[in-house]
């Protein structure tokens, strides 16, 4: 028997960020809890915004891919946000 499960979360859930550390590309797998406008930003540790991507997404699972090959080695913060809140995660560029 198949049982249908549905998430009732109201927050953005980042499922996976791979590879981490990375030297080039990074994949971000996340769950969008509602139909909304989403913004993904990549910032350095002093808060300078280096990348920004905005999308209108339906509720569901998504994968976004970013090219970090032109970035200096170091620590970066990835933020995924919508009108209800945000989720911040660290990534290391080698």
């Amino acid at each position: 028997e198949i049982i249908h499960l549905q998430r009732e979360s109201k927050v953005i859930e980042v499922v996976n960020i791979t590879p981490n550390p990375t030297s080039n590309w990074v994949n971000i797998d996340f769950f969008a809890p509602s139909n909304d406008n989403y913004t993904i930003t990549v910032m350095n540790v002093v808060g300078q915004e280096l990348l920004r991507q905005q999308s209108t997404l339906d509720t569901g699972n998504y994968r976004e891919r970013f090219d970090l090959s032109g970035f200096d080695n170091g620590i970066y913060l990835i933020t995924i946000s919508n009108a209800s809140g945000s989720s911040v995660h660290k990534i290391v560029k080698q």
Side-chain angles (χ1 to χ4, degrees):
E1 184 175 329
I2 297 174
I3 299 172
H4 177 73
L5 300 176
Q6 184 172 350
R7 295 181 192 203
E8 294 296 328
S9 176
K10 295 183 192 241
V11 297
I12 299 165
E13 296 177 34
V14 173
V15 177
N16 204 11
I17 298 177
T18 57
N20 191 10
T22 186
S23 58
N24 294 311
W25 291 92
V26 64
N27 297 303
I28 304 166
D29 298 319
F30 67 98
F31 174 73
S34 61
N35 298 352
D36 205 344
N37 295 318
Y38 289 83
T39 302
I40 301 174
T41 57
V42 178
M43 294 182 290
N44 61 20
V45 291
V46 295
Q48 293 173 312
E49 188 176 292
L50 305 173
L51 279 175
R52 173 183 283 261
Q53 176 179 310
Q54 293 180 309
S55 304
T56 301
L57 303 175
D58 293 328
T59 301
N61 293 304
Y62 291 90
R63 170 174 276 185
E64 297 293 337
R65 184 176 173 140
F66 291 93
D67 181 8
L68 304 182
S69 61
F71 288 21
D72 293 334
N73 292 347
I75 297 172
Y76 295 89
L77 301 175
I78 295 175
T79 304
I80 303 173
S81 59
N82 66 0
S84 299
S86 63
S87 179
V88 180
H89 300 273
K90 178 178 77 169
I91 189 155
V92 177
K93 165 72 167 64
Q94 295 182 331

